[in-house]
Amino acid sequence: MVASEPDLLPYSEFFTEEHHAIREAIRDFATREIAPKAHAVDQEARFPIETFKELGKLGYLGLPIGAEYGGAGADYRSYVIAVEEIGRACGSTGLSYAAHVSLGSNPIYLFGNEEQKKKYLPKLTSGEHIGCWALTEPGTGSDASSQKTTARREGDHYVLNGTKQFITNATDADTAIIMAMTDKSKGSKGISCFVVEKDTPGFYVSKVEKKLGMRGSPTASLTFEDCKVPVENMLGAEGEGYKQALMTLGGGRLSIGALALGIAQACVDASITYAKQREAFGQPIGKFQMIQSFLADMVTEVAAARLMLYHAAYLKDHHKSVILEGSQAKLYASEVASRVANLCVQIHGGYGYIVDFPAERFLRDAKLCEIGEGTSEIQRLVIARQLGL
Ligand SMILES: Cc1cc2nc3c(=O)[nH]c(=O)nc-3n(C[C@H](O)[C@H](O)[C@H](O)COP(=O)(O)OP(=O)(O)OC[C@H]3O[C@@H](n4cnc5c(N)ncnc54)[C@H](O)[C@@H]3O)c2cc1C
């Protein structure tokens, strides 16, 4: 064990014995089952569905969901630990895991009625179904209130038309949570949220994206052409969709922060190992002070990101607002992940640029964390809004 590993750091205030046990168990699974596949999953751009079936069997897909719906009824810290450890083993699997749990399942748990929870959650928590969540559109990302997808009420159905873009897990999802405009005249208060099942006529997976990183996490567009969704599939009431989306993204920021932290930790792990074994000028490169300086900066920044993230998760579990702390943790952890991944490539020299080593994958994967679920610029806006300027 090296000094950068979480266990040696003073986080005991944030965690109980149960949290430590969850970390140990998920780390063991991630090390055995996820990390060995990370290279192939990336190179083949393959969604590791078999890993999701296993995660379901082990109870990780339903970590924050109540036991009555097949979940583990665990707190948010447990979930953040799981994302961190999975992301440390494989960024793509971590991203798809986070999208399934906090975006594709949790909104049903938080905003759904009893019937909806009973119908959808057991399949999502067991891994029988994969979930996705779709807010972004071709012309609307950061400015998510300008939704163009429409849902028109016709009797006991809503008829959906429009396209959603960059949706994680969309290719494999059995259920999609879709934001759509039910009353344009009300602006963001005219947006509603629907659970749409994949076999619904008029629902298509349209464009599958090729990406810089996170290649094992599928990203695709969803198109709706006169897609009739039963009224009972609306989550909450008409007009509540945007508020629900913002609340979902509030939790999602901790997901992406945890994912970034996991990737950053993987960079530290790989860099220390390499610095010990690679020799130049007759000694391991880790003996050079400039390499030590890189590593010292890396572990310091990762430790700071970790504290911010765990603090935000702790506050969330104690029912405090984490608008500020969640955005700060997401912003800082994702920018740290990119900086640390860049140094990881540098420490690996030429091998850092070659796909046989994981450093270049870490760099490609890390970048997404600065963009997904609110770009760094949007996080800065959210943080600045809390300053009472
Ligand atoms: C791999 C991947 C997976 C994704 N998964 C999902 C998913 O599962 N579900 C989903 O709904 N979406 C998903 N997204 C979409 C993602 O959330 C958006 O790409 C992101 O929010 C940015 O939106 P945009 O791409 O439209 O960029 P834009 O909003 O067009 O932003 C372009 C640039 O302008 C900046 N900018 C925008 N507004 C402001 C402002 N007010 N002030 C300062 N700068 C600003 C941005 O920060 C950015 O630098 C995913 C994206 C990717 C790449």
Side-chain angles (χ1 to χ4, degrees):
M1 191 177 291
V2 293
S4 61
E5 292 215 337
D7 320 60
L8 291 185
L9 295 167
Y11 303 127
S12 49
E13 293 293 315
F14 294 132
F15 296 125
T16 62
E17 282 308 311
E18 202 179 319
H19 292 122
H20 291 303
I22 287 176
R23 185 187 292 282
E24 210 172 300
I26 186 76
R27 185 182 291 180
D28 176 61
F29 177 76
T31 307
R32 276 188 296 105
E33 302 289 335
I34 299 178
K37 289 190 217 160
H39 176 72
V41 156
D42 171 69
Q43 289 298 301
E44 294 159 17
R46 182 180 76 79
F47 178 55
I49 185 116
E50 72 287 357
T51 301
F52 281 77
K53 301 288 173 201
E54 282 303 307
L55 285 167
K57 274 189 212 150
L58 294 170
Y60 293 117
L61 293 186
L63 266 187
I65 310 285
E68 62 277 34
Y69 309 111
D75 57 19
Y76 220 74
R77 280 166 290 172
S78 307
Y79 166 65
V80 157
I81 288 169
V83 178
E84 179 191 343
E85 293 296 335
I86 295 171
R88 182 179 179 180
C90 172
S92 293
T93 308
L95 177 62
S96 279
Y97 172 75
H100 174 89
V101 179
S102 93
L103 301 182
S105 309
N106 212 30
I108 300 175
Y109 185 52
L110 294 179
F111 313 121
N113 58 35
E114 195 54 29
E115 211 173 304
Q116 292 165 336
K117 291 186 208 184
K118 278 195 185 134
K119 181 170 181 191
Y120 294 113
L121 289 176
K123 288 184 178 159
L124 288 163
T125 54
S126 67
E128 189 183 336
H129 279 182
I130 297 294
C132 73
W133 183 87
L135 178 67
T136 306
E137 300 185 346
T140 309
S142 306
D143 180 16
S145 58
S146 310
Q147 295 282 302
K148 298 283 182 293
T149 300
T150 55
R152 189 182 69 248
R153 177 94 190 234
E154 272 185 15
D156 54 1
H157 285 81
Y158 282 90
V159 181
L160 268 61
N161 280 288
T163 297
K164 295 288 172 184
Q165 196 174 30
F166 300 154
I167 308 308
T168 301
N169 296 348
T171 51
D172 292 71
D174 301 278
T175 51
I177 299 178
I178 305 295
M179 266 51 66
M181 197 59 100
T182 39
D183 186 347
K184 201 173 170 216
S185 69
K186 292 187 177 158
S188 65
K189 292 198 172 127
I191 297 170
S192 305
C193 180
F194 301 87
V195 182
V196 185
E197 297 174 25
K198 78 168 176 193
D199 295 329
T200 313
F203 175 26
Y204 309 101
V205 176
S206 26
K207 181 170 178 250
V208 181
E209 306 293 351
K210 288 188 176 174
K211 306 195 293 297
L212 173 71
M214 298 293 194
R215 292 178 181 166
S217 170
T219 312
S221 300
L222 294 175
T223 295
F224 302 90
E225 287 175 6
D226 290 331
C227 176
K228 282 175 81 178
V229 178
V231 170
E232 59 263 26
N233 282 29
M234 179 181 278
L235 286 186
E238 225 181 68
E240 288 181 357
Y242 190 63
K243 196 172 110 197
Q244 293 172 0
L246 292 185
M247 287 169 73
T248 300
L249 288 172
R253 281 180 195 135
L254 300 194
S255 293
I256 300 296
L259 177 60
L261 179 60
I263 295 170
Q265 183 64 50
C267 293
V268 168
D269 300 339
S271 297
I272 291 176
T273 303
Y274 194 76
K276 283 182 181 165
Q277 72 193 27
R278 175 71 177 176
E279 294 200 352
F281 299 95
Q283 61 177 347
I285 60 167
K287 296 287 179 198
F288 296 124
Q289 286 189 344
M290 272 191 258
I291 298 292
Q292 291 176 4
S293 171
F294 285 162
L295 287 166
D297 286 348
M298 289 164 76
V299 295
T300 302
E301 289 210 282
V302 171
R306 179 168 276 125
L307 282 171
M308 290 174 80
L309 184 79
Y310 293 169
H311 180 231
Y314 178 88
L315 290 179
K316 189 168 166 58
D317 280 337
H318 288 78
H319 311 292
K320 303 268 197 277
S321 163
V322 291
I323 294 174
L324 176 65
E325 292 83 357
S327 281
Q328 286 176 323
K330 196 268 185 190
L331 170 65
Y332 189 70
S334 59
E335 295 195 349
V336 163
S338 283
R339 280 199 292 275
V340 162
N342 196 34
L343 287 174
C344 179
V345 169
Q346 196 66 18
I347 289 170
H348 282 72
Y351 294 100
Y353 207 70
I354 302 295
V355 297
D356 296 353
F357 282 75
E360 59 85 36
R361 167 164 52 85
F362 296 152
L363 184 59
R364 290 186 284 106
D365 286 353
K367 187 63 195 169
L368 183 271
C369 300
E370 294 180 71
I371 297 169
E373 298 198 35
T375 63
S376 287
E377 293 69 45
I378 295 303
Q379 302 312 322
R380 287 188 168 90
L381 281 185
V382 172
I383 293 164
R385 270 192 217 122
Q386 301 298 307
L387 304 180
L389 299 170

